[in-house]
Amino acid sequence: MTEIETDIYDSLQLFIKSIRKFTVDCLEKKFPNQWESEFRNALYSSGRNIKQIKWDNDVKDRGVKPVIDLIDFQYLEIFASKTKEILKPYFRNDVYSLPTWFKEIYKLRNHFSHFTDFNDSSILIAWEYMERIAGCIGDKDLQNKLLEVKKKYFSRKPDNIKILNDGKVEKPDNGEQVEVSTYKKSETTPVPYNPKDLVNLLLNISAAIKK
């Protein structure tokens, strides 16, 4: 992996470790000694138990791995959507946007797990969401790590990009909301991610916004 990929990967690992602890603490506070069953219950949605089946298989095949380590990115969106009342004291009104935040972070994580192509601008969006979440749950160490990496690579983010809760960006001149996919350099040709190209990438995003 490149240097930036290593830093992003390490940050994602710190993030999920923090979320695991936070999730268990929240559930234990509400349901003492029942966090595992309550977490599983939250994975059921709209008559579908696909996530529950996946969770059951993970638990069955975990070996000596602690159950808490099975809480992974793939479960966070649905968990956040089903436990709003539990999470609201920490996220306040942002609790309604939290599933979208986790969805964008999951997309970023999938790139590093499966080596798939991804939209470079999505890094900026997922990073801001991770920062917001770290602040809401009060994890200073995670906040410091994310800030360190942000300053190292993302400090040149154009001022006219405003990241919204629903994963879109907004043109501040007229308030128009544009899907993230608008900023793909190419729909057919993968663009290698290189830290040296970050400034050019951000300039391209800025130019796209001004069109």
Side-chain angles (χ1 to χ4, degrees), residues 67-122:
V67 177
I68 188 175
D69 288 349
L70 301 179
I71 298 175
D72 205 2
F73 293 90
Q74 63 181 307
Y75 298 121
L76 300 183
E77 179 185 356
I78 186 172
F79 174 77
S81 69
K82 296 294 291 295
T83 57
K84 292 184 178 68
E85 291 305 313
I86 295 175
L87 300 177
K88 194 168 185 178
Y90 305 92
F91 294 92
R92 299 180 183 275
N93 288 336
D94 284 336
V95 74
Y96 302 106
S97 301
L98 190 58
T100 298
W101 296 3
F102 280 134
K103 182 178 181 179
E104 293 300 322
I105 297 167
Y106 182 35
K107 289 179 183 178
L108 180 61
R109 174 265 187 187
N110 276 348
H111 165 70
F112 292 97
S113 294
H114 306 297
F115 303 99
T116 57
D117 186 32
F118 71 113
N119 179 1
D120 291 345
S121 65
S122 67

Side-chain angles (χ1 to χ4, degrees), residues 133-148:
I133 291 170
C136 289
I137 66 178
D139 191 330
K140 298 297 183 182
D141 291 337
L142 178 59
Q143 278 186 298
N144 291 338
K145 174 62 177 179
L146 294 172
L147 182 59
E148 175 187 337

Side-chain angles (χ1 to χ4, degrees), residues 119-162:
N119 179 1
D120 291 345
S121 65
S122 67
I123 293 179
L124 302 176
I125 294 174
W127 215 261
E128 178 154 334
Y129 291 158
M130 286 196 292
E131 284 191 287
R132 293 182 188 181
I133 291 170
C136 289
I137 66 178
D139 191 330
K140 298 297 183 182
D141 291 337
L142 178 59
Q143 278 186 298
N144 291 338
K145 174 62 177 179
L146 294 172
L147 182 59
E148 175 187 337
V149 176
K150 181 179 181 179
K151 288 182 177 179
K152 189 174 182 180
Y153 300 109
F154 308 143
S155 60
R156 293 290 298 276
K157 185 183 73 172
D159 293 336
N160 60 341
I161 289 181
K162 180 180 180 181

Side-chain angles (χ1 to χ4, degrees), residues 174-188:
N174 60 11
E176 179 183 355
Q177 297 181 15
V178 185
E179 295 289 348
V180 174
S181 58
T182 301
Y183 303 106
K184 286 187 177 180
K185 285 186 177 180
S186 171
E187 294 292 333
T188 58

